[in-house]
Amino acid sequence: MVHYVQYDEEAWLLRYEPKAIKLSDYTINQFTDAKGALKFGLTKYNLSLELADLVAGEVDKHATGTLAFPDGWIFGAKYDLLVGEDLEGFVATAFKFEDKGNNRFSIQGNLSKSPLPGEEKVDLVFALLNEEEATPTTVATATNAYRVYVSYAYPVTVDGITLKPHASFKAQEGLKTVFAPEVTKDTDKKIDWPDAREIGAGFDLEAKVDPFKVGVEDTFKFKFLDMDNPEFKLNLKPYLEYAVEDFKMGVDSKMDFTFADPLEYSITPHLYTVLGIDNLEVAGDLFYFITNPDDEPDANKFAYMANITYTHNVIQTGLHLGNEVWDDDDGAVGAHDLTDLHWYLFLKASVKF
């Protein structure tokens, strides 16, 4: 739950939140450790400014009469690029002032939609960390970081069959050093931090003949961060689904291969079903995790989970039970013992205005 105080006018807003207010992944993000932040937004111009305080109560003294700034501040700005329905993206920047000789600058430009046909994404980042010398005998250091990510896909549908060729390029370096505090808090790896140089390409296929849907997603990657030891990876996900008005059943199998000696692989067959009865929905999932033979041979590989959900107006309540090990991005990624069942009740409300 998000707690903040906000005042709105037609053309601007002012907001205080007892933590950092996210601008973008590589400027001020959800893992930025701040005591509180003040945001001033010019909504008419798609521009927002943020001042976040990292260390509350610490202000430089003006004993010498010279200008001084509080320690532990972040200044940020973001401009959202929205031109009709054809162009979407943003430019964001932030300056992190920890002390007189230790600061960080970052800027990110992101394009998620353009007039070009197909689906494209461009993400460009530059960041710089200046670190003060630890002792009088050591030299101050500066670390540069960058990220270049470009992807493009062009789906074509003919007579219920969708063909989707896609390609991507990624090169990034130094982000884990420059954003070290955020990397430590990002335990689920929601943001892409590691050094990388890779090219990816694939050709997805999906066919729909009601009530069936069948297809395969695939990506082949050439990773060349270490040119003396390049990597080749293949990600496949075939799937089949049967769906009518109140019932759905499907199966898919996520398969990841790293072509090394010996071959590294991970295969996860997944069976799911959803049954709707008026406002009541019952859903179940079964997983089986197959990895390299030497990877935890005694670990349980069978996972199950079920959800019962009842919806009334804006209120949604339900029950979850299962033995799965859960990852926020990838779903179920492992299993506890079959008898190690966890469960919880949940209550949700959704209002749009």
Side-chain angles (χ1 to χ4, degrees):
M1 183 177 292
V2 179
H3 301 279
Y4 59 85
V5 178
Q6 181 167 306
Y7 178 78
D8 291 88
E9 288 287 350
E10 183 178 354
W12 60 275
L13 63 84
L14 189 64
R15 169 175 168 177
Y16 173 77
E17 187 169 331
K19 60 179 182 178
I21 300 170
K22 178 180 176 181
L23 293 182
S24 73
D25 285 349
Y26 299 99
T27 54
I28 302 177
N29 58 55
Q30 64 266 41
F31 303 107
T32 303
D33 190 10
K35 303 299 181 183
L38 190 66
K39 175 182 178 180
F40 177 64
L42 296 171
T43 52
K44 185 177 180 180
Y45 301 101
N46 300 328
L47 178 66
S48 59
L49 307 174
E50 180 184 355
L51 172 61
D53 189 6
L54 300 177
V55 185
E58 290 197 2
V59 179
D60 285 354
K61 298 179 180 179
H62 289 242
T64 62
T66 58
L67 179 64
F69 291 97
D71 290 346
W73 276 15
I74 297 183
F75 304 89
K78 182 180 182 182
Y79 175 72
D80 289 299
L81 181 63
L82 299 170
V83 182
E85 298 180 354
D86 295 328
L87 197 61
E88 294 182 7
F90 66 81
V91 177
T93 185
F95 180 74
K96 181 180 180 182
F97 186 90
E98 292 192 88
D99 53 52
K100 298 181 184 62
N102 190 4
N103 48 69
R104 182 180 78 194
F105 168 78
S106 62
I107 183 169
Q108 179 177 5
N110 185 283
L111 180 67
S112 55
K113 189 176 181 181
S114 79
L116 294 174
E119 303 169 358
E120 56 281 332
K121 182 176 180 180
V122 179
D123 196 34
L124 306 176
V125 178
F126 173 76
L128 172 66
L129 175 67
N130 288 322
E131 297 177 286
E132 190 177 28
E133 58 269 21
T135 67
T137 59
T138 59
V139 179
T141 60
T143 302
N144 293 316
Y146 70 90
R147 167 179 164 85
V148 177
Y149 178 81
V150 181
S151 68
Y152 183 76
Y154 189 75
V156 178
T157 301
V158 180
D159 295 333
I161 300 177
T162 301
L163 308 175
K164 185 178 179 179
H166 54 89
S168 65
F169 170 79
K170 180 171 69 173
Q172 58 192 46
E173 192 170 356
L175 297 171
K176 293 182 71 174
T177 300
V178 173
F179 294 90
E182 289 84 349
V183 173
T184 301
K185 294 185 66 177
D186 184 10
T187 55
D188 290 331
K189 301 178 182 177
K190 292 181 178 294
I191 299 177
D192 188 2
W193 303 111
D195 293 353
R197 278 193 292 271
E198 65 181 48
I199 298 173
F203 194 90
D204 300 347
L205 174 66
E206 181 178 274
K208 292 182 179 180
V209 180
D210 289 336
F212 292 97
K213 179 173 67 177
V214 61
V216 61
E217 300 172 0
D218 72 278
T219 301
F220 182 80
K221 290 184 178 180
F222 170 51
K223 299 190 173 187
F224 53 99
L225 182 63
D226 180 5
M227 286 301 298
D228 294 329
N229 188 26
E231 290 186 359
F232 299 90
K233 292 194 172 185
L234 178 63
N235 307 110
L236 288 173
K237 186 181 177 182
Y239 56 89
L240 171 65
E241 184 177 278
Y242 171 84
V244 291
E245 183 176 354
D246 298 320
F247 177 75
K248 177 170 65 178
M249 175 177 286
V251 60
D252 59 57
S253 184
K254 183 180 177 182
M255 299 182 285
D256 300 325
F257 301 93
T258 300
F259 297 97
D261 188 16
L263 176 69
E264 299 177 10
Y265 60 87
S266 173
I267 304 174
T268 308
H270 170 214
L271 175 66
Y272 61 91
T273 181
V274 180
L275 174 63
I277 305 173
D278 294 328
N279 294 330
L280 183 68
E281 181 180 278
V282 181
D285 295 81
L286 297 174
F287 301 87
Y288 191 75
F289 302 96
I290 306 169
T291 58
N292 297 38
D294 295 332
D295 289 353
E296 301 183 40
D298 297 327
N300 177 44
K301 301 181 183 303
F302 181 78
Y304 60 93
M305 54 188 288
N307 288 285
I308 302 174
T309 306
Y310 180 78
T311 303
H312 178 69
N313 293 329
V314 299
I315 303 297
Q316 191 176 73
T317 184
L319 166 70
H320 169 89
L321 56 86
N323 75 325
E324 83 284 354
V325 176
W326 190 261
D327 181 270
D328 289 339
D329 292 330
D330 299 326
V333 295
H336 297 295
D337 290 339
L338 289 174
T339 56
D340 190 6
L341 175 69
H342 66 263
W343 68 276
Y344 57 82
L345 300 172
F346 59 87
L347 177 67
K348 302 178 183 178
S350 178
V351 180
K352 293 182 180 180
F353 55 89

